[in-house]
Amino acid sequence: MTGLSAGAPALADPPGDPSSLAFYERSVQEVARELIGCTLRHGGSAGLIVETESYHEGEAACHAHIGLTERTRTLVGPPGRAYVYRSYGIHALLNMVCEKDGVGAAVLVRALEPTEGLEAMRRRRGLDKLRELCSGPGKLTQALGVGLELNDSSLSGGPIVIEPRDPAAPVPEIVTGGRIGITKAAELPWRYCRRGSAFVSRPLPPAERRAGARED
DNA sequence: CATGGGATTGACT
DNA sequence: GTCAATCCCATGC
């Protein structure tokens, strides 16, 4: 008795499984969109991903644009691993490596809506306010206890866990805009935010908020 | 070998 | 709004 007939349209936009390596072996822009609404978990804490950015070796803002170096070894390597690097000499920034082995491409996680392990996050951040716990790429790694030692760790069965969206929950609406904090290739609309989220790192410019743009 | 610039944050004017 | 902290790496002399 298979009531679930072939041909019937899936509920809506089947999310795929972000805890499987195959999820990451595709276009980095696609992965960046689909990670919105997924759960990121580490160190006894977790949150919903509400903001991402995509980076690809074909454009100058990507670390791998210059080719393979010791720093970009993970980024250029096989998909489904964490690329964690030190930013401004101070912060650890977390990326998911995408596309096939040998192509430098990754999704930067920029903000989470905290959902579990809030006290541990507050302790690691030294802050109380919920909205400030994970509203930035350096903040969320500190809140989850993600450090440089997790660079090159697997996103499937590793210490960092990524879970699919709740299939019963509404599919998040996504708004795109220019990436934050870069000078090169700043015109590309490769920042992806959950529409209406109060937990993004910075509000979107009004024009981009309205557009819901789709120029990727 | 010296210099300068970051995929940032928090403190301060 | 401005600015320092702090380190890796690319570039240039």
Side-chain angles (χ1 to χ4, degrees):
Chain A
M1 260 67 65
T2 147
L4 301 177
S5 67
L11 270 184
D13 178 65
D17 181 4
S19 67
S20 79
L21 297 182
F23 182 86
Y24 301 94
E25 192 161 0
R26 348 175 239 153
S27 127
V28 68
Q29 290 87 2
E30 206 173 307
V31 176
R33 281 182 178 278
E34 293 193 16
L35 282 173
I36 299 293
C38 294
T39 291
L40 176 61
R41 185 181 299 279
H42 182 265
S45 299
L48 296 172
I49 299 174
V50 297
E51 179 180 349
T52 61
E53 286 177 356
S54 58
Y55 287 83
H56 190 279
E57 64 180 17
E59 41 90 10
C62 182
H63 293 162
H65 188 60
I66 57 169
L68 181 61
T69 66
E70 179 53 31
R71 184 197 203 189
T72 62
R73 187 173 51 80
T74 301
L75 181 51
V76 176
R81 294 189 184 172
Y83 169 49
V84 186
Y85 76 96
R86 189 183 298 292
S87 174
Y88 289 90
I90 302 173
H91 304 102
L93 267 56
L94 170 65
N95 300 253
M96 286 72 174
V97 177
C98 296
E99 310 212 355
K100 64 185 182 191
D101 192 1
V103 176
V107 175
L108 169 69
V109 184
R110 287 194 55 90
L112 305 178
E113 175 179 339
T115 54
E116 295 175 51
L118 303 185
E119 286 317 307
M121 290 193 190
R122 290 190 168 107
R123 177 165 20 89
R124 286 184 287 240
R125 291 275 293 128
L127 283 173
D128 271 354
K129 293 172 78 175
L130 194 60
R131 265 186 342 205
E132 292 181 12
L133 291 181
C134 298
S135 55
K139 297 178 183 178
L140 70 92
T141 54
Q142 185 183 27
L144 293 180
V146 168
L148 300 181
E149 71 280 1
L150 293 177
N151 183 45
D152 211 34
S153 66
S154 179
L155 299 176
S156 181
I160 296 172
V161 174
I162 305 169
E163 297 163 357
R165 297 197 306 260
D166 176 358
V171 176
E173 284 186 67
I174 295 172
V175 186
T176 68
R179 294 174 291 182
I180 305 293
I182 58 170
T183 56
K184 293 171 279 193
E187 73 285 357
L188 293 173
W190 283 2
R191 179 186 182 210
Y192 309 86
C193 293
R194 179 166 202 160
R195 186 191 293 277
S197 174
F199 296 92
V200 296
S201 64
R202 291 174 48 180
L204 286 138
E208 294 173 333
R209 211 177 317 182
R210 185 158 17 86
R214 183 82 26 136
E215 316 158 35
D216 52 349

